[in-house]
Amino acid sequence: PGTTYRAGTTVSYSGTGSDAQDGNLPPSAFTWEVLFHHDTHNHPFVAPTNGSTSGSFSIPNRGETATNVWYRIHLTVRDSSGLTHSVFRDIDPEVATVSLQTNPAGLGVLLDGSPLTAPASFSSVVGMIRSIGTTSPQTSNGTQFDFSSWSDGGALTHEITTPASAATFIATFLAGGSAGPIADGIYRIVASHSNKCVAVAGASTADNADVVQLTCSTAASMRWRFRHLGGGIYEVSAVHSSRCL
């Protein structure tokens, strides 16, 4: 009771069995089975297996995204006369709430490819990989908005791993065609000639580190914080080191 799991981890199990005639029963007396339960139905996950008093299985981090799920581990032990006894134990998921927001509010976002209007929240098993995204441009109240950045530095559409506690991801947009300053925030810098991202070589945190262009990813070394100092002048610093570009 009370045992929980996170997606992407390994669950280990073990058991013992004995009776008055045979004493401690050998591994050959043990049969294990694991079922994956979803709401009112279940699916075989680990087929019946005998010959061992223990074992393990890996929890997938892709696939079923519902939270009303759990794994049930069944053990049946048989003595030398053929009598059996069966028990099971359930392990329940750890669940976190993820919120998707836009700046400005009320624009569209995507969760696993399905459209939602921000702000929107969903529950997910901790460790599950989900896809979040948005579309660009979008129009609201007659104004066109172009995607600028996600708060985690991810691409327009990208994958996240459900965190262990509640988290918020914000998609920032800029009014299309605006000649005004870039909003303060975290951005990736993309070279127009190569479509590669500016990054700190080796994710160095040292002064005078080299800056290179690499295939874009969610790497921390590709995240840059823009801060408007006024008059169209910006301070640009690496998020992972706080060193200025």
Side-chain angles (χ1 to χ4, degrees), residues 21 30 55 62 65 68 79 128 144 159-160 204:
Q21 290 74 36
F30 289 67
R62 297 180 185 273
T65 58
N68 57 337
D79 68 11
M128 283 296 293
Q144 177 178 301
E159 291 183 334
I160 62 167
S204 174

Side-chain angles (χ1 to χ4, degrees), residues 223-226 235-245:
R223 300 177 67 194
W224 301 92
R225 178 174 285 108
F226 280 63
E235 177 188 90
V236 181
S237 60
V239 171
H240 75 290
S241 68
S242 297
R243 297 292 195 271
C244 284
L245 182 63

Side-chain angles (χ1 to χ4, degrees), residues 115-239:
L116 300 170
T117 299
S121 297
F122 63 95
S123 296
S124 183
V125 174
V126 173
M128 283 296 293
I129 294 176
R130 309 295 296 268
S131 172
I132 65 171
T134 186
T135 57
S136 181
Q138 297 187 41
T139 301
S140 177
N141 295 324
T143 300
Q144 177 178 301
F145 292 93
D146 298 314
F147 171 75
S148 175
S149 65
W150 277 99
S151 55
D152 65 339
L156 182 72
T157 297
H158 63 285
E159 291 183 334
I160 62 167
T161 299
T162 304
S165 58
T168 299
F169 296 84
I170 304 171
T172 296
F173 290 77
L174 299 177
S178 171
I182 299 171
D184 286 2
I186 297 173
Y187 298 83
R188 292 186 302 174
I189 304 173
V190 182
S192 60
H193 75 290
S194 65
N195 205 36
K196 292 184 181 294
C197 282
V198 175
V200 178
S204 174
T205 59
D207 286 338
N208 302 313
D210 290 334
V211 173
V212 297
Q213 63 171 352
L214 299 171
T215 300
C216 294
S217 71
T218 58
S221 60
M222 295 184 183
R223 300 177 67 194
W224 301 92
R225 178 174 285 108
F226 280 63
R227 186 167 71 90
H228 190 227
L229 303 179
I233 298 173
Y234 292 83
E235 177 188 90
V236 181
S237 60
V239 171

